[in-house]
Amino acid sequence: MQGDREKGLEARDVGFRYGKNGSWILKGVNLTVRPGERVGLTGPSGCGKSTLAKILAGYESPLEGEVLYDGSPLPEKGYCPVQMIYQNPEQAVNPRWKMEGILCEGWTPDAELLRDMGIEREWLKRWPAELSGGELQRFLIARVLGPETKFLICDEISTMLDVITQAQVWETLLRAADRQRLGMLVVTHSTALAKRVCTRIVSLQEINQS
Amino acid sequence: MEQKTKQEILSVEELSVSFSMYQKGLRKGNLEVLHKLSLSVRAGEILAVAGSSGSGKSILAHAILGILPGNACMDGRMLYKGQPLTEKEKKGLRGREIAFIPQSVDYLDPLMRVGKQVRGVRGTKERQRELFRKYGLEEGVERKYPFMLSGGMARRVLIASALMEDACLIVADEPTPGLSERLTEETLKSFREMADAGCAVLLITHDIDLAFKAADRIAVFYAGTVVEIAPAEDFRKGKEALRHPYSRAFLEALPQNEFCPLPGFQPYAAKLPKGCLFAERCRERNEMCMGEIPMRKVRGGEVRCVHAR
């Protein structure tokens, strides 16, 4: 392996199941994402892709194994360097917050980014329920591109976008990724998309021993 | 195709939908989100409605089912099997003859086991189990609550619940995101089977790729109206066969094609330009685009563009 600084985000022998007697969804999973690398994660529906994504982002703790960021566990306080964008944007926002609060919770995006993402000024005053899924998703992408973000976990982030918006969003996202040397884990069902945006593609079924 | 002889199940004529919203204090304004939209679906046909997110596709579905929120106001006509489709009719038909597959997994009741939800009031356990098997949902899934399901599983539950009864019209609002390629194909195959059995399917999707694999005709939405209706073959043939510049831009943006986004954004419903709604992003724009743009027939399809030949 390369030097310590370049360790990146690492899942080491991760195992996970829901409930005490549930079947193991993940077992002995090893995966490393290095800075600047974009790893595509594929696999059939229900095989644990989203669960692994949540574990890597620190939203679930693995029952076995550990998640390491630059060789140590994820920080429990402050801005988490690993940020996640979800599959269903309507479930990832507080319905009682206005969009402005949602957008600026972690950092304040500049006007240029908002323009690139196609976010209308007027939308900032709306409630989440008043935006379409695609519009909402653009907010959720903009809110995680803060300067302290080092890794992005993208769980099917563009399936609810139309292809033109998808291409626009990925263009912006890839530009930000290059500028900030982000490491990315891209969960997707679309092989065509994975080939376009990822530097390597991993099948979860091949690395999962459950 | 001999579709001309088939019965029109649903026809939407000049439909406009607007929402009244508070702007400042108690002042109310109207925001028109669908503008004079016309389309029809025949028995045995899958019509895909494709378009950018936020172009009003889901609102069309909700308008057909009569489940728009209270502040919505509708104008225009809808016919179901030749009869006017009023709010009262919709109430009786939906869930029986008109089935709906909603877009978001939020439409599941979080406090009810999914098997029970799918059976509803009239469904039987046998039918529900048969559908669950067909969509690869294991035996134990029917006893789970929605939060215990993965995104793809919840999606399959939604599809199963729409197929519980023998519907004549299926309105599927983005049924496939989050499904693997195999399951997507399975879903599309069951739509085709239902169409072959005499159903009309309105498949709402932003995934043009999916639309031209599955549909007979495709209606392209932009900023709340239909800009082109064309046979799906034309989309398979490529850019030259299409009539509207926006439809062509869709093909260019596909990851398997150029993956090249068209710059600019769809105009916001409150600030619509005069004349052609697409003009701002169009390479062929000229003074002819400033007037009223009617839908016209071009090469076996319909298009809302003055330049189309």
Side-chain angles (χ1 to χ4, degrees):
Chain A
M1 303 267 159
Q2 293 146 343
D4 271 4
R5 284 282 89 198
E6 284 289 302
K7 265 185 185 154
L9 182 66
E10 190 181 356
R12 209 179 269 176
D13 288 325
V14 162
F16 191 83
R17 61 178 171 183
Y18 289 99
K20 279 200 184 107
N21 310 311
S23 52
W24 288 94
I25 295 168
L26 301 172
K27 190 93 180 160
V29 173
N30 284 297
L31 181 67
T32 307
V33 185
R34 294 183 197 291
E37 189 183 40
R38 293 189 292 272
V39 182
L41 185 67
T42 60
S45 155
C47 79
K49 299 188 297 292
S50 296
T51 305
L52 181 60
K54 277 188 216 156
I55 290 173
L56 279 169
Y59 289 106
E60 294 277 9
S61 327
L63 294 176
E64 292 180 0
E66 54 187 348
V67 172
L68 298 175
Y69 165 70
D70 277 348
S72 46
L74 287 172
E76 280 177 15
K77 278 185 183 166
Y79 194 100
C80 182
V82 184
Q83 290 289 322
M84 178 157 176
I85 310 171
Y86 289 88
Q87 180 176 359
N88 293 313
E90 64 275 18
Q91 294 177 350
V93 294
N94 186 336
R96 289 166 186 251
W97 280 24
K98 287 211 172 173
M99 290 317 300
E100 190 157 26
I102 292 169
L103 181 69
C104 302
E105 190 183 0
W107 73 301
T108 310
D110 48 31
E112 192 193 336
L113 179 65
L114 296 191
R115 204 190 51 230
D116 283 353
M117 298 300 294
I119 294 173
E120 294 278 342
R121 283 248 151 252
E122 267 159 87
W123 295 351
L124 296 176
K125 298 270 172 273
R126 294 215 204 160
W127 301 102
E130 293 172 326
L131 291 174
S132 78
E135 289 162 355
L136 214 46
Q137 191 67 311
R138 291 185 237 159
F139 276 91
L140 302 198
I141 293 171
R143 76 169 173 182
V144 298
L145 289 178
E148 288 172 71
T149 304
K150 303 291 178 225
F151 285 91
L152 268 186
I153 313 290
C154 306
D155 187 3
E156 293 275 17
I157 59 164
S158 57
T159 40
M160 76 294 305
L161 302 174
D162 65 272
V163 285
I164 295 180
T165 315
Q166 166 173 283
Q168 279 175 342
V169 160
W170 275 108
E171 197 180 44
T172 317
L173 207 48
L174 294 182
R175 209 181 313 135
D178 282 340
R179 191 177 53 226
Q180 292 168 237
R181 225 168 145 253
L182 295 177
M184 285 165 81
L185 181 77
V186 181
V187 177
T188 178
H189 278 122
S190 158
T191 15
L193 179 69
K195 278 187 198 144
R196 275 284 174 179
V197 300
C198 298
T199 50
R200 82 186 151 100
I201 298 175
V202 173
S203 156
L204 180 55
Q205 278 172 312
E206 278 167 28
I207 58 169
N208 191 1
Q209 285 147 27
S210 79
Chain B
M1 279 175 232
E2 66 285 282
Q3 273 162 3
K4 289 202 174 61
T5 55
K6 292 261 177 77
Q7 189 196 7
E8 264 185 10
I9 298 278
L10 176 79
S11 115
V12 176
E13 290 165 15
E14 304 265 303
L15 176 74
S16 300
V17 173
S18 55
F19 290 103
S20 70
M21 300 212 299
Y22 287 101
Q23 283 167 333
K24 209 173 196 179
L26 290 173
R27 201 154 13 113
K28 270 189 174 180
N30 260 342
L31 186 66
E32 192 178 277
V33 288
L34 291 187
H35 330 283
K36 297 207 167 163
L37 179 155
S38 304
L39 53 82
S40 64
V41 211
R42 296 187 192 90
E45 178 187 55
I46 301 180
L47 174 74
V49 172
S52 63
S53 36
S55 62
K57 303 187 301 284
S58 298
I59 290 172
L60 170 68
H62 290 203
I64 292 171
L65 283 138
I67 50 171
L68 288 171
N71 62 339
C73 174
M74 254 169 54
D75 191 35
R77 285 206 317 160
M78 270 191 249
L79 299 175
Y80 177 72
K81 293 183 177 170
Q83 301 296 317
L85 185 60
T86 60
E87 293 305 306
K88 199 173 146 231
E89 314 269 67
K90 286 176 194 168
K91 217 169 175 180
L93 289 169
R94 66 181 178 227
R96 294 168 201 255
E97 287 193 26
I98 304 183
F100 180 46
I101 304 176
Q103 172 176 29
S104 157
V105 292
D106 283 358
Y107 285 72
L108 289 171
D109 183 339
L111 298 178
M112 205 195 271
R113 296 184 197 273
V114 295
K116 188 156 187 246
Q117 291 192 49
V118 169
R119 288 194 294 278
V121 220
R122 293 179 296 273
T124 60
K125 226 169 193 159
E126 289 73 53
R127 175 80 177 135
Q128 174 247 313
R129 294 220 166 121
E130 183 193 323
L131 283 168
F132 272 34
R133 265 197 305 279
K134 184 169 174 191
Y135 287 101
L137 295 164
E138 287 158 28
E139 196 90 329
V141 173
E142 63 179 45
R143 300 205 32 85
K144 288 193 174 169
Y145 289 97
F147 78 93
M148 300 159 96
L149 307 180
S150 78
M153 280 156 89
R155 190 70 68 180
R156 283 178 270 161
V157 168
L158 287 172
I159 295 168
S161 66
L163 304 187
M164 278 300 286
E165 300 205 24
D166 297 316
C168 291
L169 172 67
I170 293 165
V171 181
D173 191 0
E174 308 274 11
T176 57
L179 290 186
S180 67
E181 276 164 30
R182 194 183 64 77
L183 278 167
T184 303
E185 258 161 49
E186 184 67 29
T187 310
L188 296 181
K189 218 176 86 199
S190 53
F191 286 157
R192 176 52 68 196
E193 279 163 17
M194 286 185 284
D196 289 343
C199 256
V201 181
L202 190 72
L203 172 67
I204 295 175
T205 177
H206 59 258
D207 187 347
I208 200 98
D209 198 18
L210 183 82
F212 61 62
K213 253 189 246 158
D216 299 305
R217 288 188 303 145
I218 299 177
V220 180
F221 258 50
Y222 186 73
T225 195
V226 176
V227 293
E228 174 166 357
I229 301 183
E233 281 153 42
D234 291 0
F235 284 82
R236 284 183 284 247
K237 277 185 213 151
K239 279 189 276 185
E240 289 70 34
L242 295 177
R243 298 152 193 84
H244 199 278
Y246 182 66
S247 325
R248 291 198 281 267
F250 245 103
L251 287 191
E252 280 171 27
L254 283 176
Q256 58 271 41
N257 295 351
E258 289 94 341
F259 202 44
C260 152
L262 175 76
F265 293 96
Q266 175 174 270
Y268 176 55
K271 292 186 288 194
L272 289 184
K274 262 184 74 175
C276 178
L277 298 176
F278 184 70
E280 217 176 292
R281 300 165 79 181
C282 187
R283 279 167 233 151
E284 298 171 57
R285 170 185 43 185
N286 61 21
E287 60 281 5
M288 274 156 73
C289 304
M290 302 307 289
E292 177 98 349
I293 318 281
M295 207 63 179
R296 49 193 193 98
K297 289 198 161 53
V298 176
R299 286 185 281 127
E302 287 176 71
V303 64
R304 207 184 276 273
C305 174
V306 288
H307 304 293
R309 278 176 306 268

